[in-house]
């Protein structure tokens, strides 16, 4: 245990610091500080020795240089068991420090608030980050509190230690300090690199992780890194699981491609139901009709508020999660009838960000697939052009294709998913799966349309589709045998459009 005799405090956020200050006063700790922190401490009637008095230099360059001085860093980095270090402290009249409390300039908050370039640059902390690293390096002798988030836990640690810290305490604090400094530096790197593109280094930092019940399976550990509360307010239900989060991401991403009233029903990241409608109730019932068996235990999302009529229909089905921008009071009363049912109010759209995942001995990274085709992107390659209703159905089906595991075929009409074949090793298998599902749930495919996430290497898919009544097809094109499929369509009065954009999803 090492008793705290002297402390250096330099913080941006002063809120919630009082419990620590009260303890330092109670244990008779000598306090050093500077600038706004010094003024704050003195307003609390705490006796403070200014850093300027210690160093013999004033704060200069508009506050950019205050603590960067050997009389400060010498007292932080000196090793208590090193006789040479101690001799130099005595020679140069440098006090040693046992505690450093720092809270950095809010760089990320200034950036998020839309600060000017000058404001953002001025929030890059230099002295503070240097103090943190120095104290964390010398954790054998000094305790470091590196952010406002650590004030409360350190106050408890200090109280339990009666004004002293253990080596284990200090090593934990040092670990947290390096996490703060590395996260801070990563944010600054991304700010600069976004404009300069000077480095293709992969750096991503989330300050805190939320432990999940388990990972994809019960024998796997799982953690979520991110700020879920910025996206959703959980109104009811049990704790979200790893698989819940993956499906929520799929549901919300799919709905973002639809501006009209829409419902999506997701199972294992794929849409087993998707529809638009005049009202939320109509859209939900159309989505459910596509596969009411797979919808059991699924994740459901709407881009419109949930009213009582829709809630009453939803309540007839067992599902894990319902996501919507809002819920009426009456709807919530119905939906909260199942204690474990998770109800999420979505606060904002998904942020624009890249995708990455670990594979082999590294990480792969890519831009998100933000391309969503419109009627202007379609090139008719057959003699018969699709009708307006067919174009609407083709674009609808193509959006679902984009968010479905490859290989995939989607069968739809205007505003309703009829069936899809997902995650198959061949496109023909995906089509046959889709046809079987559509027929199982009583859909007549005459006049329906077909979407494919990638080109047709052979005409077999359009041949099979024609056999069940499909009249129009959308696909990226690009096969050396494209003409074979086009020729078959022409011979059988089918319409085909190509987009030139593939939507693989693995």
């Amino acid at each position: 245990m090492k008793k705290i005799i002297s402390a250096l405090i330099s913080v941006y956020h002063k809120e919630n610091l009082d419990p620590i200050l009260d303890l330092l006063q109670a244990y008779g700790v000598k306090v050093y500080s500077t600038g706004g922190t010094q003024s704050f401490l003195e307003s609390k009637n705490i006796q403070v020795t200014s850093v300027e008095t210690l160093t013999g230099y004033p704060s200069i360059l508009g506050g950019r240089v205050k603590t960067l001085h050997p009389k400060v860093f010498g007292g932080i980095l000196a090793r208590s068991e090193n006789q040479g270090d101690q001799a130099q402290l005595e020679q140069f009249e440098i006090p040693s420090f046992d505690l450093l409390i720092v809270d950095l300039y809010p760089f990320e908050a200034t950036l998020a608030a839309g600060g000017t370039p000058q404001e953002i640059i001025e929030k890059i902390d230099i002295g503070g980050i240097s103090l943190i690293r120095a104290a964390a390096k010398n954790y054998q002798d000094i305790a470091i509190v590196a952010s406002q988030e650590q004030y409360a836990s350190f106050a408890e640690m200090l109280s339990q230690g009666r004004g002293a810290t253990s080596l284990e305490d200090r090593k934990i604090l040092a670990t947290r300090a390096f996490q703060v400094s590395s996260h801070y530096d990563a944010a600054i790197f991304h700010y600069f690199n976004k404009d300069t593109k000077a480095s293709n280094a992969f750096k991503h930092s989330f300050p805190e992780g939320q432990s999940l019940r388990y990972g994809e399976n019960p024998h796997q550990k799982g953690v979520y890194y991110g700020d879920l509360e910025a996206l959703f307010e959980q109104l009811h239900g049990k704790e979200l699981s790893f698989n819940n989060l993956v499906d929520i991401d799929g549901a919300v991403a799919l709905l973002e491609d639809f501006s009209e009233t829409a419902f999506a029903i997701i199972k294992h990241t794929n849409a087993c139901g998707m529809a638009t409608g005049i009202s939320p109730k109509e859209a939900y019932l159309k989505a459910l009709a596509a596969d009411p068996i797979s919808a059991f235990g699924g994740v459901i999302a709407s881009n419109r508020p949930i009213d009582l009529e829709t809630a009453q229909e939803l309540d007839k089905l067992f599902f894990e999660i319902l996501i919507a921008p809002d819920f009426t009071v009456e709807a919530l009363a119905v939906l909260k009838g199942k204690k474990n049912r998770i109800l999420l109010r979505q606060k904002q759209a998904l942020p624009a960000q890249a995708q990455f995942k670990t594979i082999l001995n590294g990480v792969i990274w890519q831009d998100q697939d933000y391309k969503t085709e419109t009627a202007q992107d379609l090139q008719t390659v057959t003699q018969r052009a699709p009708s307006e209703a067919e174009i609407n159905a083709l674009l609808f089906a193509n959006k679902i294709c984009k968010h479905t595991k490859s290989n995939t075929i989607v069968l739809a009409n205007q505003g309703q998913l009829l069936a899809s074949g997902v995650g198959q090793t061949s496109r023909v298998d995906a089509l046959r799966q889709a046809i079987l599902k559509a027929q199982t749930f009583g859909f007549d495919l005459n006049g329906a349309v077909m979407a494919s996430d990638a080109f047709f290497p052979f005409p077999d898919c359009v041949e099979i589709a024609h056999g069940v009544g499909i009249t129009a097809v959308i696909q990226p094109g690009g096969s050396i045998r494209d003409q074979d499929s086009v020729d078959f369509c022409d011979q059988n009065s089918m319409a085909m459009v190509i987009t030139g954009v593939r939507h693989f999803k693995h």
Side-chain angles (χ1 to χ4, degrees), residues 88-104:
Q88 287 188 318
L89 290 184
E90 186 175 350
Q91 177 185 357
F92 296 109
E93 298 180 336
I94 300 173
S96 61
F97 298 108
D98 310 296
L99 171 64
L100 174 64
I101 303 176
V102 176
D103 181 64
L104 298 171

Side-chain angles (χ1 to χ4, degrees), residues 156-312:
E156 184 178 351
M157 180 186 293
L158 191 61
S159 177
Q160 291 177 351
R162 298 184 179 183
T165 60
S166 69
L167 180 60
E168 181 182 3
D169 289 338
R170 295 192 295 277
K171 193 168 186 178
I172 290 171
L173 291 170
T175 303
R176 292 173 180 167
F178 282 122
Q179 185 274 317
V180 169
S181 67
S182 63
H183 178 77
Y184 196 78
D185 284 341
I188 296 169
F189 164 78
H190 284 298
Y191 170 70
F192 279 91
N193 202 50
K194 182 179 180 182
D195 292 331
T196 66
K197 303 293 191 296
S199 172
N200 69 347
F202 178 83
K203 295 181 186 296
H204 220 87
S205 174
F206 293 98
E208 294 294 335
Q210 175 185 331
S211 293
L212 304 172
R213 295 198 303 273
Y214 49 80
E216 198 163 8
N217 299 292
H219 62 276
Q220 296 171 272
K221 291 182 179 179
V223 181
Y224 176 76
Y225 293 95
D227 185 7
L228 270 181
E229 291 184 0
L231 290 177
F232 303 105
E233 178 186 2
Q234 183 164 346
L235 304 176
H236 186 68
K238 62 184 179 181
E239 178 186 348
L240 290 166
S241 72
F242 182 101
N243 292 332
N244 289 158
L245 291 170
V246 175
D247 283 342
I248 289 169
D249 180 70
V252 173
L254 173 58
L255 277 183
E256 287 192 352
D257 274 338
F258 292 87
S259 58
E260 58 270 59
T261 300
F263 254 92
I265 305 175
I266 301 294
K267 201 69 172 289
H268 296 296
T269 74
N270 296 304
C272 60
M274 177 71 214
T276 59
I278 296 173
S279 67
K281 177 183 175 181
E282 180 189 62
Y284 166 67
L285 291 176
K286 286 169 64 179
L288 179 64
D291 188 348
I293 294 177
S294 294
F296 183 88
V299 171
I300 304 177
S302 176
N303 59 2
R304 295 292 189 273
I306 304 300
D307 56 25
L308 177 59
E309 277 193 336
T310 310
Q312 289 170 334

Side-chain angles (χ1 to χ4, degrees), residues 202 356-359 361-365:
F202 178 83
F356 57 87
K357 65 179 178 181
T358 58
I359 66 165
N361 62 347
V363 172
I364 53 175
W365 177 102

Side-chain angles (χ1 to χ4, degrees), residues 228-229 231-240 248 300 302 304-307 311 319-347:
L228 270 181
E229 291 184 0
L231 290 177
F232 303 105
E233 178 186 2
Q234 183 164 346
L235 304 176
H236 186 68
K238 62 184 179 181
E239 178 186 348
L240 290 166
I248 289 169
I300 304 177
S302 176
R304 295 292 189 273
I306 304 300
D307 56 25
F319 58 88
E320 289 268 352
I321 300 168
L322 176 60
I323 309 155
D326 211 347
F327 300 80
T328 67
V329 173
E330 297 80 7
L332 279 178
V334 171
L335 294 168
K336 285 183 177 181
K338 304 289 192 303
K339 68 175 183 177
N340 288 328
R341 178 183 284 162
I342 298 169
L343 304 177
L344 299 177
R345 184 176 69 82
Q346 186 175 353
K347 300 178 183 179

